[in-house]
Amino acid sequence: MRIDRISIKGFKALSNVSFEPGNVNVFIGANGAGKSTILEAIGVLSAAMTDRVDNTSLDRKGIRLSTPNLYKSSFRGDRKTPTIGFQIHWTDSNGTIAYDLNLNNPKDDSAWRYHSEALYRNDIKLWGRSGNSQIQYDDRVGMLMLAQEEQLGEIKPSAEQLKDYAIYQPSTPILRGIMPDRYQTTPVGLCGGRLAEAIEELINKDDGDIKFGDLYIDEVLELLDWAANFTVSSPKKSSINSSVPTSRRVIEFQDKFMRENDRFTAYDASEGSLYVLFLLCLAMHDRSPNVFAVDNFDQAMNPRLARAATRLFCDLIKQNSKTVFITTHNPLVLDGLKLDDPAIRLFTVERSKKDGTAQIKRIEVTQELIDLDQPLSRLWINGRLGGVPNLL
């Protein structure tokens, strides 16, 4: 499944936007510009397309639960849109597929109501339902995956790839294993729960060499420049204080400058290192979602670490044919992007000065940018890419 275009109408600040994603999609912009809202809109689309939209399904995907009237765009001087609309186009072995959806946001209960949904292949409508359909449907449940029409059988497996979409926002105490993750998913929770178990599943031996997923362990240790090794084990008194709450399995590190037997766990390790391992798990684990998002991708990482981790993360996402949507405020993340690769795309998100609606613009490498002879980080800081606040 290759996602070709996503369109959003009437959802929060996204009055009417459309963009064409690649495998890695990075959104930059000022605080409050609407970056996280884009990730949430994709989450609503995912829930609606593969199940239903209610507080339970949205919460499970890491989406902020708003009051009903705040989901729908509401700008001074504009009439509220009658529905919240989404459309996604993708390409697979069956051709070009489009799913079109219109929702009514919730009123008294948490369930969103379906106004209409339809599926097209190569611009020919294969299936649809609305309030005018002769067959009576439950308007609180998405019917695409339940429909029995024979022509949908070949398309449903592609649509299923959106089912597990979620927005990951790792938290340091949860990555350290000292707090539970209320958003536990497979293989890691949305906030980093069960990171040790996910890492353990990725560590393996290949002809005598130790590998971590698709990488040799030395490739990972190049990012963790203080570490000689890391493993996963049961908690031991020698590596973690008995008063510290911990999980059944813990990440154990060996510092290259310390005695070999003096090991320590994630509780005492650099939080940036835990974020890197978390991101690598998402990119490589065969049970992580095929399509997912990471909000505030760069948090807790030194700028140069963020740049190096971004490069490796992009390579792994492409290698494993995944699609990821990322927000960041760290300019060095941009320097880790190879924008001459069409699979890697950078977008600015800005609010219109005229009416406040969010606008999405793709940044491509042009001769004008090349002639400036500056890294992307510097171009962003200097306002040449957009996506920066007007501050004194």
Side-chain angles (χ1 to χ4, degrees), residues 100-265:
D100 191 89
L101 168 72
N102 286 280
L103 294 169
N104 293 306
N105 58 323
K107 293 182 179 179
D108 297 329
D109 59 12
S110 74
W112 296 39
R113 308 284 172 155
Y114 286 73
H115 181 270
S116 64
E117 58 178 336
L119 190 78
Y120 301 82
R121 178 169 61 192
N122 300 328
D123 297 324
I124 299 173
K125 187 174 182 178
L126 295 184
W127 170 86
R129 60 101 169 225
S130 69
N132 297 323
S133 299
Q134 293 182 350
I135 301 175
Q136 294 299 309
Y137 295 99
D138 185 343
D139 66 355
R140 295 168 299 179
V141 178
M143 297 305 300
L144 173 63
M145 305 309 293
L146 300 176
Q148 299 299 311
E149 280 79 356
E150 184 177 347
Q151 64 266 34
L152 300 183
E154 297 176 343
I155 298 173
K156 286 182 180 180
S158 288
E160 281 273 0
Q161 293 187 38
L162 270 179
K163 184 175 184 178
D164 295 326
Y165 172 90
I167 304 169
Y168 291 85
Q169 294 179 293
S171 162
T172 299
I174 295 172
L175 289 172
R176 294 196 190 284
I178 60 175
M179 287 183 60
D181 192 337
R182 66 180 287 254
Y183 304 102
Q184 188 56 57
T185 56
T186 302
V188 291
L190 302 190
C191 297
R194 298 189 75 252
L195 177 61
E197 287 84 350
I199 288 174
E200 188 170 32
E201 291 168 355
L202 287 172
I203 294 176
N204 62 87
K205 286 190 176 181
D206 181 20
D207 291 333
D209 292 314
I210 299 177
K211 296 193 71 175
F212 179 56
D214 304 320
L215 304 170
Y216 289 101
I217 203 77
D218 288 344
E219 296 178 88
V220 183
L221 295 175
E222 287 180 6
L223 296 177
L224 316 181
D225 59 350
W226 53 268
N229 197 9
F230 62 91
T231 57
V232 175
S233 64
S234 299
K236 298 187 287 288
K237 291 182 179 180
S238 61
S239 60
I240 190 167
N241 190 298
S242 59
S243 297
V244 175
T246 187
S247 52
R248 290 182 298 172
R249 304 296 286 170
V250 295
I251 310 167
E252 201 170 72
F253 292 93
Q254 178 187 349
D255 191 306
K256 65 173 63 173
F257 302 104
M258 295 173 61
R259 294 185 181 90
E260 185 174 349
N261 293 331
D262 291 333
R263 295 171 178 254
F264 52 90
T265 70

Side-chain angles (χ1 to χ4, degrees), residues 312-328:
L312 182 56
F313 182 78
C314 290
D315 289 342
L316 292 171
I317 289 292
K318 287 178 52 186
Q319 183 176 322
N320 289 281
S321 301
K322 295 180 183 287
T323 299
V324 64
F325 302 90
I326 293 167
T327 68
T328 184

Side-chain angles (χ1 to χ4, degrees), residues 6-27:
I6 296 174
S7 302
I8 306 157
K9 291 184 178 180
F11 181 73
K12 296 187 177 181
L14 306 174
S15 178
N16 188 359
V17 300
S18 182
F19 67 98
E20 298 177 356
N23 290 93
V24 178
N25 306 280
V26 180
F27 297 93

